[in-house]
């Protein structure tokens, strides 16, 4: 068999793969490209690596029966969305300011301890999130909590709540938007929303 034919023969069987097997192939073939894609958008290498891993995990949970050709664009879309969420979350700003403070570590009395201001701010943010959760429609709140705390797939949540997976996806998106808007208003109280 010529070299080109053997390469083609090795490539063809992966086309029919689905689920975990397809994701393993995609991981081998696309991990570095996905990582570059993410690192262009965010500067912290460890966070970029985490987001790529999260994209693979979320696609694995949400689409267990899809093939390689369907999973590849889903991975890039999931990673793009995770990256946007990361950038909007304020975590990137916090990481930048933490890095700046870290550079001043020798001038700080105790650079690794949590300050009272940070503890107060964290408590305030937690209260804002709890209030936003309490104000949510019960089904949306339940879908979000099942997704984030119990790490259930959209299909599992849909079954538990007796709705479609598309409704679950929409409920989670809406819930996250409400929480993000509440946090955004807390950051800038003059902003109307």
């Amino acid at each position: 068999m010529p070299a080109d034919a053997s390469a083609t023969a090795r490539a063809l069987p992966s086309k029919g793969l689905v689920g975990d097997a397809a994701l393993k192939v995609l991981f081998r073939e696309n991990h570095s490209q996905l990582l570059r894609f993410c690192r262009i958008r965010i500067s912290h290498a460890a966070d970029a690596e985490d987001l790529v891993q999260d994209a693979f995990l979320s696609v694995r949970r949400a689409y267990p029966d899809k093939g390689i050709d369907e999973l590849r664009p889903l991975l890039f879309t999931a990673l793009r969305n995770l990256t946007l969420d990361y950038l909007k979350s304020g975590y990137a700003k916090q990481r930048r300011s933490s890095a700046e403070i870290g550079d001043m570590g020798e001038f700080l009395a105790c650079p690794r301890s949590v300050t009272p201001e940070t503890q107060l701010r964290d408590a305030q943010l937690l209260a804002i999130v709890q209030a936003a959760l309490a104000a949510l429609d019960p089904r949306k709140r339940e879908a979000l909590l099942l997704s984030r705390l119990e790490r259930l797939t959209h299909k599992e949540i849909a079954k538990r709540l007796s709705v479609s997976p598309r409704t679950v996806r929409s409920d989670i998106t809406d819930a996250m938007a409400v929480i993000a808007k509440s946090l955004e208003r807390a950051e800038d109280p003059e902003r109307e929303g």
Side-chain angles (χ1 to χ4, degrees):
M1 185 182 298
D4 292 343
S6 65
T8 304
R10 281 193 309 268
L12 288 178
S14 68
K15 289 289 184 186
L17 296 177
V18 296
D20 287 344
L23 279 173
K24 285 178 185 175
V25 170
L26 284 173
F27 186 86
R28 275 195 318 270
E29 293 176 356
N30 295 351
H31 181 265
S32 60
Q33 184 180 5
L34 287 162
L35 192 56
R36 272 193 313 277
F37 175 82
C38 189
R39 286 185 76 180
I40 288 170
R41 286 154 181 79
I42 64 171
S43 58
H44 195 265
D47 288 347
E49 182 69 38
D50 288 345
L51 290 173
V52 170
Q53 294 296 329
D54 288 348
F56 273 95
L57 290 173
S58 66
V59 167
R60 179 178 179 250
R61 278 195 319 268
Y63 307 102
D65 301 316
K66 300 266 186 207
I68 287 179
D69 291 337
E70 295 170 301
L71 288 173
R72 183 174 286 119
L74 290 170
L75 272 170
F76 278 95
T77 301
L79 182 58
R80 184 196 69 216
N81 292 341
L82 286 168
T83 303
L84 289 173
D85 290 346
Y86 171 89
L87 292 171
K88 289 178 186 175
S89 72
Y91 185 70
K93 289 181 200 171
Q94 178 186 357
R95 174 148 327 262
R96 278 194 299 276
S97 63
S98 293
E100 292 167 5
I101 290 172
D103 292 342
M104 299 183 330
E106 60 188 0
F107 301 109
L108 299 175
C110 188
R112 296 196 191 274
S113 65
V114 178
T115 65
E117 293 84 9
T118 302
Q119 289 177 331
L120 177 63
R121 183 68 183 144
D122 289 348
Q124 290 170 339
L125 290 175
L126 180 59
I128 291 166
V129 170
Q130 288 173 329
L133 279 170
L136 284 173
D137 172 74
R139 188 185 73 208
K140 291 179 182 183
R141 179 177 49 246
E142 185 70 15
L144 178 66
L145 293 175
L146 289 171
S147 169
R148 296 306 190 258
L149 299 180
E150 294 188 28
R151 308 299 283 177
L152 296 180
T153 65
H154 290 172
K155 208 180 253 186
E156 292 167 333
I157 296 168
K159 190 173 188 179
R160 194 178 283 190
L161 299 179
S162 302
V163 295
S164 72
R166 178 172 280 168
T167 300
V168 168
R169 198 171 307 121
S170 175
D171 285 350
I172 291 171
T173 301
D174 292 349
M176 292 297 291
V178 167
I179 292 170
K181 190 169 277 198
S182 296
L183 290 170
E184 189 175 301
R185 278 193 300 266
E187 288 293 320
D188 187 7
E190 295 179 13
R191 185 180 184 138
E192 293 185 31

